[in-house]
Amino acid sequence: ILDGNRLRNIANLRQLVKLSYLSLNNNLIEDLTGWCMEIGNIQTLNLAGNKISKLAGIAKLRSIKSLDLSCNLITKFEEIDELAGLPVLEVLGLNGNPLALEVDYRARVITRFDERGRDVILDNEKCSQFEIDKAMVLSALRKSKIG
């Protein structure tokens, strides 16, 4: 646990090959690029209360099951696409980010995960059938715009 230490990045964790839980809550972290080289086997990562707005690089942390990004600066739903490729992600925290104030926030996040969306626990709450249905509609609309 390295909460509240004013850290801007991580270093020298590479040797901790059995590290599965890391809490970096309330630091000054903005950039996640290259983190897979330092904490590639992490399963639970708490990055709540930092200054993260872009999620580039996080998609390489393929063993993450639980990720808390609450109270950061994420504004674009396109950033969630970085998380959608995480194959074992089960629990995701995004509340307290600017995008959480958007209309249909939960459904718009779920839609980024396609079929897996129904299994993701978002902000400590399992998705309702209504949210899943709305996400399916939003996903179809998004795909029709792309194609």
Side-chain angles (χ1 to χ4, degrees):
I1 297 178
L2 297 170
D3 297 345
N5 280 296
R6 304 182 56 80
L7 297 173
R8 294 183 186 277
N9 57 46
I10 58 169
N12 304 316
L13 298 179
R14 192 177 310 209
Q15 289 78 14
L16 303 175
V17 293
K18 293 188 179 185
L19 183 67
S20 64
Y21 173 88
L22 181 59
S23 184
L24 294 160
N25 192 11
N26 293 319
N27 280 290
L28 302 172
I29 297 166
E30 296 178 29
D31 186 17
L32 305 175
T33 307
W35 279 40
C36 66
M37 300 304 290
E38 292 294 330
I39 56 169
N41 295 323
I42 203 81
Q43 292 178 7
T44 301
L45 181 58
N46 181 350
L47 291 169
N50 280 282
K51 298 183 179 299
I52 300 165
S53 61
K54 305 241 184 275
L55 299 176
I58 203 159
K60 293 180 180 176
L61 296 174
R62 308 210 27 99
S63 59
I64 288 185
K65 292 181 180 178
S66 178
L67 177 62
D68 191 351
L69 290 165
S70 302
C71 302
N72 274 284
L73 304 173
I74 303 166
T75 59
K76 297 182 178 171
F77 286 95
E78 291 79 13
E79 294 298 323
I80 306 308
D81 293 342
E82 292 288 326
L83 306 176
L86 295 172
V88 295
L89 184 67
E90 298 171 352
V91 179
L92 175 61
L94 289 171
N95 58 321
N97 282 284
L99 66 77
L101 301 174
E102 296 287 329
V103 174
D104 294 328
Y105 150 71
R106 289 179 57 84
R108 290 173 71 185
V109 169
I110 295 165
T111 192
R112 300 294 177 162
F113 288 88
D114 293 321
E115 290 298 316
R116 283 192 44 228
R118 68 181 69 243
D119 299 323
V120 174
I121 297 171
L122 178 59
D123 299 331
N124 297 315
E125 189 177 322
K126 191 117 171 95
C127 300
S128 70
Q129 188 59 50
F130 177 75
E131 290 169 331
I132 292 167
D133 293 344
K134 186 176 277 192
M136 289 173 60
V137 170
L138 291 172
S139 180
L141 288 171
R142 188 167 61 100
K143 287 177 183 173
S144 70
K145 287 180 185 177
I146 292 171

